[in-house]
PDB file of all heavy atoms in Angstrom:
ATOM      1  N   LYS A 105     228.098 127.210 278.430  1.00 95.00           N
ATOM      2  CA  LYS A 105     227.994 128.472 279.158  1.00 95.00           C
ATOM      3  C   LYS A 105     229.347 129.067 279.528  1.00 95.00           C
ATOM      4  O   LYS A 105     229.547 130.267 279.551  1.00 95.00           O
ATOM      5  CB  LYS A 105     227.165 128.351 280.408  1.00 95.00           C
ATOM      6  CG  LYS A 105     227.572 127.243 281.354  1.00 95.00           C
ATOM      7  CD  LYS A 105     226.608 126.131 281.267  1.00 95.00           C
ATOM      8  CE  LYS A 105     227.224 124.837 281.691  1.00 95.00           C
ATOM      9  NZ  LYS A 105     226.411 123.681 281.267  1.00 95.00           N
ATOM     10  N   ALA A 131     222.371 126.534 277.387  1.00 96.00           N
ATOM     11  CA  ALA A 131     223.469 126.950 278.259  1.00 96.00           C
ATOM     12  C   ALA A 131     222.975 127.436 279.618  1.00 96.00           C
ATOM     13  O   ALA A 131     223.731 127.457 280.594  1.00 96.00           O
ATOM     14  CB  ALA A 131     224.301 128.041 277.577  1.00 96.00           C
ATOM     15  N   LEU A 158     220.308 128.035 289.466  1.00 97.00           N
ATOM     16  CA  LEU A 158     220.776 127.628 288.128  1.00 97.00           C
ATOM     17  C   LEU A 158     221.722 126.435 288.164  1.00 97.00           C
ATOM     18  O   LEU A 158     222.249 126.061 287.107  1.00 97.00           O
ATOM     19  CB  LEU A 158     221.495 128.836 287.454  1.00 97.00           C
ATOM     20  CG  LEU A 158     220.667 130.083 287.296  1.00 97.00           C
ATOM     21  CD1 LEU A 158     221.507 131.219 286.739  1.00 97.00           C
ATOM     22  CD2 LEU A 158     219.454 129.860 286.401  1.00 97.00           C
ATOM     23  N   ASN A 159     221.956 125.905 289.341  1.00 96.00           N
ATOM     24  CA  ASN A 159     222.858 124.756 289.412  1.00 96.00           C
ATOM     25  C   ASN A 159     222.192 123.624 290.182  1.00 96.00           C
ATOM     26  O   ASN A 159     221.983 123.723 291.396  1.00 96.00           O
ATOM     27  CB  ASN A 159     224.201 125.171 290.056  1.00 96.00           C
ATOM     28  CG  ASN A 159     225.194 124.052 290.006  1.00 96.00           C
ATOM     29  OD1 ASN A 159     225.243 123.215 290.863  1.00 96.00           O
ATOM     30  ND2 ASN A 159     225.999 124.007 288.947  1.00 96.00           N
ATOM     31  N   GLY A 160     221.872 122.560 289.472  1.00 94.00           N
ATOM     32  CA  GLY A 160     221.160 121.411 290.068  1.00 94.00           C
ATOM     33  C   GLY A 160     221.979 120.744 291.154  1.00 94.00           C
ATOM     34  O   GLY A 160     221.459 120.262 292.158  1.00 94.00           O
ATOM     35  N   THR A 161     223.300 120.674 290.948  1.00 94.00           N
ATOM     36  CA  THR A 161     224.150 119.999 291.923  1.00 94.00           C
ATOM     37  C   THR A 161     224.065 120.703 293.280  1.00 94.00           C
ATOM     38  O   THR A 161     223.865 120.080 294.324  1.00 94.00           O
ATOM     39  CB  THR A 161     225.604 119.982 291.419  1.00 94.00           C
ATOM     40  OG1 THR A 161     225.617 119.439 290.114  1.00 94.00           O
ATOM     41  CG2 THR A 161     226.543 119.229 292.320  1.00 94.00           C
ATOM     42  N   CYS A 162     224.220 122.039 293.258  1.00 96.00           N
ATOM     43  CA  CYS A 162     224.156 122.801 294.525  1.00 96.00           C
ATOM     44  C   CYS A 162     222.774 122.697 295.132  1.00 96.00           C
ATOM     45  O   CYS A 162     222.642 122.577 296.348  1.00 96.00           O
ATOM     46  CB  CYS A 162     224.516 124.246 294.272  1.00 96.00           C
ATOM     47  SG  CYS A 162     226.260 124.487 293.957  1.00 96.00           S
ATOM     48  N   TYR A 188     225.247 113.072 290.052  1.00 72.00           N
ATOM     49  CA  TYR A 188     224.720 114.447 289.979  1.00 72.00           C
ATOM     50  C   TYR A 188     225.874 115.462 289.954  1.00 72.00           C
ATOM     51  O   TYR A 188     225.746 116.534 289.389  1.00 72.00           O
ATOM     52  CB  TYR A 188     223.807 114.753 291.170  1.00 72.00           C
ATOM     53  CG  TYR A 188     222.515 113.987 291.198  1.00 72.00           C
ATOM     54  CD1 TYR A 188     221.855 113.693 292.366  1.00 72.00           C
ATOM     55  CD2 TYR A 188     221.923 113.554 289.980  1.00 72.00           C
ATOM     56  CE1 TYR A 188     220.656 113.002 292.367  1.00 72.00           C
ATOM     57  CE2 TYR A 188     220.751 112.832 289.995  1.00 72.00           C
ATOM     58  CZ  TYR A 188     220.120 112.574 291.177  1.00 72.00           C
ATOM     59  OH  TYR A 188     218.936 111.853 291.215  1.00 72.00           O
ATOM     60  N   GLU A 190     230.014 116.325 289.321  1.00 69.00           N
ATOM     61  CA  GLU A 190     231.199 115.878 288.580  1.00 69.00           C
ATOM     62  C   GLU A 190     232.225 115.343 289.543  1.00 69.00           C
ATOM     63  O   GLU A 190     232.207 115.664 290.754  1.00 69.00           O
ATOM     64  CB  GLU A 190     231.840 117.071 287.856  1.00 69.00           C
ATOM     65  CG  GLU A 190     230.903 117.899 287.032  1.00 69.00           C
ATOM     66  CD  GLU A 190     230.524 117.258 285.724  1.00 69.00           C
ATOM     67  OE1 GLU A 190     231.294 116.378 285.256  1.00 69.00           O
ATOM     68  OE2 GLU A 190     229.483 117.580 285.177  1.00 69.00           O
ATOM     69  N   ASP A 196     230.735 123.690 290.047  1.00 95.00           N
ATOM     70  CA  ASP A 196     229.394 123.680 290.621  1.00 95.00           C
ATOM     71  C   ASP A 196     229.400 124.320 292.034  1.00 95.00           C
ATOM     72  O   ASP A 196     228.728 125.315 292.264  1.00 95.00           O
ATOM     73  CB  ASP A 196     228.855 122.251 290.668  1.00 95.00           C
ATOM     74  CG  ASP A 196     228.551 121.725 289.295  1.00 95.00           C
ATOM     75  OD1 ASP A 196     228.049 122.479 288.443  1.00 95.00           O
ATOM     76  OD2 ASP A 196     228.812 120.525 289.071  1.00 95.00           O
ATOM     77  N   ASP A 201     229.806 127.788 287.779  1.00 95.00           N
ATOM     78  CA  ASP A 201     228.835 127.392 286.753  1.00 95.00           C
ATOM     79  C   ASP A 201     227.612 128.331 286.808  1.00 95.00           C
ATOM     80  O   ASP A 201     227.125 128.807 285.753  1.00 95.00           O
ATOM     81  CB  ASP A 201     228.413 125.933 286.998  1.00 95.00           C
ATOM     82  CG  ASP A 201     227.297 125.478 286.064  1.00 95.00           C
ATOM     83  OD1 ASP A 201     227.583 125.266 284.881  1.00 95.00           O
ATOM     84  OD2 ASP A 201     226.151 125.358 286.539  1.00 95.00           O
ATOM     85  N   LYS A 205     226.232 131.204 283.890  1.00 97.00           N
ATOM     86  CA  LYS A 205     224.855 131.323 283.411  1.00 97.00           C
ATOM     87  C   LYS A 205     224.308 132.714 283.678  1.00 97.00           C
ATOM     88  O   LYS A 205     223.605 133.304 282.858  1.00 97.00           O
ATOM     89  CB  LYS A 205     223.987 130.227 284.083  1.00 97.00           C
ATOM     90  CG  LYS A 205     224.418 128.831 283.659  1.00 97.00           C
ATOM     91  CD  LYS A 205     223.838 127.728 284.549  1.00 97.00           C
ATOM     92  CE  LYS A 205     224.262 126.341 284.096  1.00 97.00           C
ATOM     93  NZ  LYS A 205     224.012 125.269 285.076  1.00 97.00           N
ATOM     94  N   ASN A 282     215.865 123.517 288.591  1.00 97.00           N
ATOM     95  CA  ASN A 282     216.282 124.911 288.453  1.00 97.00           C
ATOM     96  C   ASN A 282     215.033 125.772 288.420  1.00 97.00           C
ATOM     97  O   ASN A 282     213.946 125.280 288.087  1.00 97.00           O
ATOM     98  CB  ASN A 282     217.041 125.154 287.144  1.00 97.00           C
ATOM     99  CG  ASN A 282     218.475 124.657 287.159  1.00 97.00           C
ATOM    100  OD1 ASN A 282     219.241 125.012 286.270  1.00 97.00           O
ATOM    101  ND2 ASN A 282     218.858 123.872 288.101  1.00 97.00           N
ATOM    102  N   GLY A 300     216.958 121.465 284.927  1.00 88.00           N
ATOM    103  CA  GLY A 300     218.024 122.393 284.575  1.00 88.00           C
ATOM    104  C   GLY A 300     219.258 121.708 283.992  1.00 88.00           C
ATOM    105  O   GLY A 300     220.211 122.379 283.591  1.00 88.00           O
ATOM    106  N   ALA A 301     219.263 120.402 283.967  1.00 85.00           N
ATOM    107  CA  ALA A 301     220.471 119.722 283.464  1.00 85.00           C
ATOM    108  C   ALA A 301     220.081 118.311 283.051  1.00 85.00           C
ATOM    109  O   ALA A 301     218.913 117.937 283.095  1.00 85.00           O
ATOM    110  CB  ALA A 301     221.516 119.655 284.580  1.00 85.00           C
ATOM    111  N   GLY A 302     221.065 117.550 282.626  1.00 88.00           N
ATOM    112  CA  GLY A 302     220.818 116.161 282.264  1.00 88.00           C
ATOM    113  C   GLY A 302     220.592 116.016 280.784  1.00 88.00           C
ATOM    114  O   GLY A 302     220.313 116.971 280.046  1.00 88.00           O
TER     115      GLY A 302
HETATM  116  N1  HSE B   1     226.532 120.988 286.477  1.00 97.95           N
HETATM  117  C1  HSE B   1     225.338 121.714 286.180  1.00 97.95           C
HETATM  118  C2  HSE B   1     224.334 121.542 287.306  1.00 97.95           C
HETATM  119  C3  HSE B   1     224.664 121.277 284.928  1.00 97.95           C
HETATM  120  O1  HSE B   1     224.609 120.845 288.284  1.00 97.95           O
HETATM  121  O2  HSE B   1     223.277 122.143 287.236  1.00 97.95           O
HETATM  122  C4  HSE B   1     225.277 121.873 283.709  1.00 97.95           C
HETATM  123  O3  HSE B   1     225.291 123.251 283.786  1.00 97.95           O
END
Side-chain angles (χ1 to χ4, degrees):
K105 53 253 156 196
L158 302 175
N159 186 273
T161 306
C162 286
Y188 292 153
E190 310 284 338
D196 290 321
D201 174 74
K205 294 164 180 167
N282 283 194

